[in-house]
Amino acid sequence: MLENVVEQLDLFGGADLNQQPEPAEKVLNGMYYEQSTGLFVSYVLGRRHFEVTPVECLGDKAWQEKTKRERAI
């Protein structure tokens, strides 16, 4: 005998839609200070884009110090 099974769909974004999968690894985007080389390095979607020395860097001294503290890799 065939039973009618009704499945109710949540069309307005329930709890299952709010959960996003955790990324497997952190993807770098932006400017970072690389401690091993002493360079400021730009990353785009996790790929190294370019690098500059602190002398060549366009940021002022305060920005460089903040980046060294907060975005060191």
Side-chain angles (χ1 to χ4, degrees), residues 6-66:
V6 177
E7 179 181 353
Q8 182 160 349
L9 301 175
D10 185 5
L11 300 176
F12 299 103
D16 59 336
L17 297 178
N18 292 334
Q19 296 175 1
Q20 295 180 354
E22 291 293 323
E25 60 184 56
K26 182 180 174 185
V27 177
L28 297 178
N29 274 316
M31 194 66 113
Y32 293 85
Y33 178 71
E34 191 174 58
Q35 293 175 334
S36 63
T37 61
L39 299 173
F40 289 95
V41 182
S42 172
Y43 283 88
V44 178
L45 297 176
R47 297 186 69 195
R48 192 181 192 102
H49 187 60
F50 68 90
E51 56 190 43
V52 293
T53 65
V55 175
E56 298 172 325
C57 190
L58 296 176
D60 62 0
K61 195 73 164 169
W63 177 86
Q64 289 183 12
E65 292 302 320
K66 181 180 178 187

